[in-house]
Amino acid sequence: SNFQPFSGGYGDFVVYERQAQEIADRVQQGNFSLQGVSVANYYPVIVGYIYALTLPEMFMGQIFNAWLVALAVVFVYLIVRQIGGSEKEGFLTGLIASAYPSLAFYGSLLLKDALVVLLCLIGLLLMLKIIKIFSWRIFFIFYILLTALIHFRFYVGYALMFTFIISWFFVSAFNLKKRAAYGLIILFLLGFSPQLLGYGYYGSKNFKTF
C-alpha cells in the first residue's frame, strides 16, 4: 500500500532497490563482480539475484520478504515445540507472531528486517538443540548463521552470541566437566565470528565505536 510513516518518503528500501536493480543488470550481462557497487550488506545482492532470475521489480523483493516472514513463523512454531510446547501452543504462538505489527509492516517493505528475524529465530532453535544434545555439525551451522546475522545486524547477532554462551554454562544438559571442556572451545571459536567480518575478536571494534 506504500504506507511508509517512518521513512520520510526516502528510506533504506529505496537504496536497496536501486542497488538490486544495478546488480540484476550486471548479472544479466554476465558480470558477477560487485566492484564499483557500493553495498553496506549483502541483502541488496540477494534481491538483485532474485531480480535477475525473475523480474526486476520491487514487488518481487517484497514477495521474497513475505516468504521470509512466513518461514519465521514456522520457526517460531518449531521453537515452541523444542521447549516442550504442544502443537496447539506452537500454532497459537506462530499465529501471534504472524500478527506482530512491526514484523508485518517491515516484512512488507524491501528491507533486511525479515531476513534478520528469520536468521535470529533459526539461531535460537539451533541454540536450544545444542544445549540439549551437543553436536559439532549443528554448532557449525549455528556458527554460519550467527556470522550472517552479525553481518546484517551486528547488535542482534551479539545478543544471540552472548545468550548462547550464558545458556551453555548455566542451563545446558551436561555435567560441569563437559560444560567447561566444550565451553572453553566454544568461547574460543565464537570470538572469531565477528572477526571474520572485520569487527574484531568478539566485536571489539564495534564496542569501541558504539
Side-chain angles (χ1 to χ4, degrees):
S1 64
N2 204 32
F3 176 66
Q4 299 152 12
F6 310 118
S7 63
Y10 187 86
D12 287 344
F13 60 91
V14 178
V15 178
Y16 290 155
E17 165 68 6
R18 185 175 66 246
Q19 293 171 340
Q21 292 279 1
E22 185 177 353
I23 291 166
D25 290 341
R26 287 183 170 219
V27 171
Q28 289 176 339
Q29 293 169 11
N31 181 5
F32 301 98
S33 171
L34 294 178
Q35 187 174 1
V37 181
S38 178
V39 291
N41 60 74
Y42 282 100
Y43 175 74
V45 178
I46 296 171
V47 176
Y49 273 83
I50 292 172
Y51 283 1
L53 294 171
T54 56
L55 296 172
E57 301 288 341
M58 184 183 284
F59 182 63
M60 300 307 298
Q62 291 171 315
I63 287 177
F64 170 65
N65 269 14
W67 179 70
L68 294 179
V69 171
L71 277 178
V73 173
V74 172
F75 278 95
V76 168
Y77 170 84
L78 293 174
I79 288 170
V80 174
R81 296 289 289 146
Q82 180 66 32
I83 61 176
S86 66
E87 290 184 1
K88 183 178 180 181
E89 288 168 337
F91 173 78
L92 291 174
T93 308
L95 192 63
I96 293 169
S98 68
Y100 194 74
S102 63
L103 180 61
F105 175 68
Y106 287 107
S108 69
L109 297 175
L110 195 66
L111 294 170
K112 62 184 179 181
D113 298 73
L115 181 57
V116 169
V117 170
L118 177 61
L119 289 173
C120 191
L121 288 170
I122 297 174
L124 282 171
L125 179 62
L126 293 176
M127 182 188 75
L128 289 168
K129 289 180 177 293
I130 291 169
I131 64 176
K132 187 177 180 181
I133 303 174
F134 186 82
S135 163
W136 284 113
R137 181 178 62 85
I138 297 177
F139 176 78
F140 179 68
I141 297 171
F142 173 83
Y143 197 91
I144 294 173
L145 283 170
L146 175 66
T147 305
L149 182 59
I150 293 172
H151 165 71
F152 287 111
R153 188 150 291 159
F154 69 88
Y155 48 87
V156 179
Y158 294 161
L160 179 64
M161 180 170 64
F162 289 115
T163 299
F164 174 69
I165 292 170
I166 293 168
S167 299
W168 173 262
F169 284 105
F170 287 96
V171 297
S172 60
F174 303 97
N175 58 47
L176 290 176
K177 185 177 180 180
K178 198 167 185 178
R179 288 188 198 187
Y182 280 89
L184 289 175
I185 299 172
I186 289 169
L187 274 173
F188 175 73
L189 293 176
L190 286 180
F192 289 102
S193 178
Q195 190 169 38
L196 291 171
L197 302 170
Y199 296 152
Y201 193 66
Y202 271 105
S204 56
K205 291 182 180 179
N206 287 139
F207 285 107
K208 288 178 182 178
T209 305
F210 289 88

